[in-house]
Amino acid sequence: MVPPASFGSYYGKPIVKAPVWHHDIAAYLFTGGLAAGSSLLAAAGDLSGRPALGRAGRLAALGAVTASAYFLIHDLGRPARFHHMLRVAKPTSPMSVGTWVLTAFGPAAGVAAIAEGAPLLPERGVLGLVRRLLPPLGAAGQVGAALTAPALATYTAVLLSDTSTPSWHAAYEELPFVFAGSALASGAAVGLLAAPCDQAGPARRMAVCGAALELYGAHRVETTKGLLSEPYRTGRAGRLLRAGRALTAAGVAGALLGRRSRVASALSGLSLLAASLATRFGIFEGGMASAKDPKYVVVPQRERLQRRAESGDAGGS
């Protein structure tokens, strides 16, 4: 009997170099999605005449995008490196596109959130003029933030799948669904936490839509990629993604069944936020694990070569 194949590499080094990213990037994935989802929640609140939702979404979007910028700059090591990335605009580079999306979203979300403080300013003098100018500027900023939010929510999925990391690259079709759904669910969580029950209707609908997208994408990532789905089912990534599914289901159930209870809505919001955090970290950990084990490079390569050989034989015959 031939013993099971052992997949190794020279000097015990991984075949594919793992990204040099740390958990700052995993946190960046979460906060960027939260900022995008919160901005969409604010837009939903404005369109449906629910001021508490709009206010909560705008303030959360500003806080989350500020945290997102911090995590990105901290991972880069020097703040000047973020500035240097703005010297060029390269449409074929997800990192370049994402940097510009973040740069456009941040000021728009900031103006929209600052405009919430206009009623606190005096009505006369220079501050009175500022009080009158802030609402239209805030409305314009909200529109800009909402328009760039979908790109902010999903460009990081393209960024991960554009790398040579095996399990990220294999899931290039599904990761945008996971990240878009996670962003919507976390934005909905803000509404469930901050808005009265009678104004949380759009947040509940966002939670259902986001959970459906996230669970669909995560299920396909974990089941349809053959060997490359394994890192998402095992180890730390598997535990995080299973926790994310359970928390998502609990959050949606609580949002729908406890729609008249302020406590139930708040608990559902916390559950959805924790679910989004666990999902983002789970996807991050799964990709990193696949880069460290040579079998996730060797076995898929051999399978692809075998399929090409079989296809060539079939075509020749």
Side-chain angles (χ1 to χ4, degrees), residues 30 34 185-194 207 243-244 246-252 254-255 262-278:
F30 166 69
L34 176 59
S186 60
V190 171
L192 293 171
L193 281 166
L247 288 166
T248 296
V252 171
R262 191 73 187 85
V263 174
S265 293
L267 291 175
S268 298
L270 290 174
S271 182
L272 290 171
L273 278 179
S276 179
L277 183 65

Side-chain angles (χ1 to χ4, degrees), residues 213-293:
L213 283 174
E214 180 182 336
L215 293 175
Y216 164 78
H219 175 73
R220 286 189 56 83
V221 164
E222 296 177 44
T223 59
T224 65
K225 304 305 170 188
L227 181 66
L228 294 178
S229 288
E230 186 177 86
Y232 296 116
R233 298 194 302 265
T234 58
R236 186 183 302 174
R239 292 191 295 272
L240 285 168
L241 289 173
R242 286 191 294 272
R245 283 198 299 273
L247 288 166
T248 296
V252 171
L256 295 177
L257 299 177
R259 63 181 61 192
R260 296 182 180 179
S261 169
R262 191 73 187 85
V263 174
S265 293
L267 291 175
S268 298
L270 290 174
S271 182
L272 290 171
L273 278 179
S276 179
L277 183 65
T279 298
R280 301 294 180 129
F281 271 77
I283 294 293
F284 179 83
E285 292 288 349
M288 298 297 280
S290 73
K292 296 175 182 178
D293 193 330

Side-chain angles (χ1 to χ4, degrees), residues 35 61-71:
L62 176 58
V65 77
T66 301
S68 187
Y70 165 78
F71 288 125

Side-chain angles (χ1 to χ4, degrees), residues 7 15 18 31 42 55 94 100 103 110 134 145 185-186 190 199 219 280 285 308:
F7 299 102
I15 295 175
T31 52
R55 185 180 308 110
W100 282 101
T103 302
L134 274 179
S186 60
V190 171
Q199 293 194 35
H219 175 73
R280 301 294 180 129
E285 292 288 349
R308 290 174 186 171

Side-chain angles (χ1 to χ4, degrees), residues 28 72 82-91 93-107 148 151-152 155:
Y28 167 69
L72 177 59
F82 183 84
H83 171 265
H84 295 341
M85 293 169 68
L86 298 175
R87 291 177 175 178
V88 296
K90 191 175 180 181
S93 167
M95 179 64 78
S96 177
V97 171
T99 302
W100 282 101
V101 168
L102 183 63
T103 302
F105 179 90
T148 53
L152 181 65
Y155 95 86

